Amino acid sequence: MKKFLVLATVAMMTAMSAFAQESGDFAIGVRGGVTITKVDLPGLKIDEKETRFGIGGFAQYNLSNHWRVDLEGIYHPMKNHVSDVTACINIHYLINLTQDHKFKLYPILGYGLAFVHSETYTNGGTTIEGENSRDGGIQLGLGTNCDLSFAEGWFVSAEYKFQPGIFGDGHVALLGIGYRF
């Protein structure tokens, strides 16, 4: 029995070391881009396609050589009496496209939660009351990042995400720059 426990312990430690993380487990950076949403806010009488620009930050942690968790927050400034902050948690599966691991492609699966603030305004003699609301849902996408060979630790990224059902259907395209510790 003792031999079995020792063998099981060695097997578990070997399996865990196979998932050992590389140096550069943690990264932070900024992202910005465009969000195109088919906005559906019945309380505000908005049902239209809206294009907005946003900027924010992100933090990433490599769970293994292929799995990474990504937390982001994107702020969309006031436009047409509405502003919002979207907080997301995403899982990336990293696919190395080069042998030196400097260029990666990754599918994105995550959850986004939008906090929306609309201000009170008058439209043609009718006063539209402002309100605060929130909505959340899944997001699916694809991203890529490339380590900068001339700046140790720095990388650039590009992502596309589809957000079905977060105040309508959203298409998000973001560019980012980050630093890996």
Side-chain angles (χ1 to χ4, degrees):
M1 186 64 154
K2 288 181 184 179
K3 290 180 185 178
F4 175 74
L5 288 175
V6 169
L7 182 62
T9 303
V10 169
M12 264 185 14
M13 291 177 74
T14 303
M16 288 172 62
S17 69
F19 291 105
Q21 298 161 12
E22 304 173 312
S23 68
D25 292 334
F26 182 72
I28 59 171
V30 294
R31 281 189 185 131
V34 64
T35 301
I36 302 169
T37 306
K38 172 68 170 92
V39 180
D40 185 12
L41 298 170
L44 296 176
K45 299 179 181 163
I46 298 174
D47 183 14
E48 60 189 39
K49 187 177 272 192
E50 183 75 37
T51 301
R52 301 173 43 187
F53 293 93
I55 189 153
F58 67 90
Q60 298 173 336
Y61 184 73
N62 289 345
L63 300 171
S64 71
N65 289 337
H66 292 287
W67 293 97
R68 172 169 71 197
V69 133
D70 178 90
L71 302 172
E72 78 177 358
I74 303 293
Y75 171 69
H76 295 95
M78 188 71 64
K79 180 179 178 186
N80 295 335
H81 310 285
V82 177
S83 66
D84 74 80
V85 173
T86 304
C88 304
I89 181 167
N90 300 302
I91 298 292
H92 299 166
Y93 181 76
L94 304 172
I95 302 165
N96 293 308
L97 297 178
T98 59
Q99 288 184 348
D100 61 2
H101 298 233
K102 290 189 181 279
F103 191 67
K104 296 175 177 70
L105 184 71
Y106 50 91
I108 301 167
L109 174 63
Y111 184 82
L113 186 59
F115 299 92
V116 177
H117 170 72
S118 61
E119 63 185 8
T120 301
Y121 67 98
T122 304
N123 185 6
T126 304
T127 300
I128 308 295
E129 291 295 323
E131 64 180 32
N132 295 320
S133 56
R134 69 176 183 265
D135 194 11
I138 65 166
Q139 53 186 12
L140 308 166
L142 188 63
T144 183
N145 70 269
C146 180
D147 293 347
L148 299 175
S149 57
F150 57 86
E152 184 69 30
W154 290 91
F155 64 93
V156 293
S157 65
E159 295 183 352
Y160 164 79
K161 291 182 257 186
F162 175 60
Q163 299 172 326
I166 302 177
F167 291 115
D169 292 338
H171 300 273
V172 182
L174 297 169
L175 297 176
I177 185 164
Y179 183 78
R180 192 170 323 286
F181 295 94

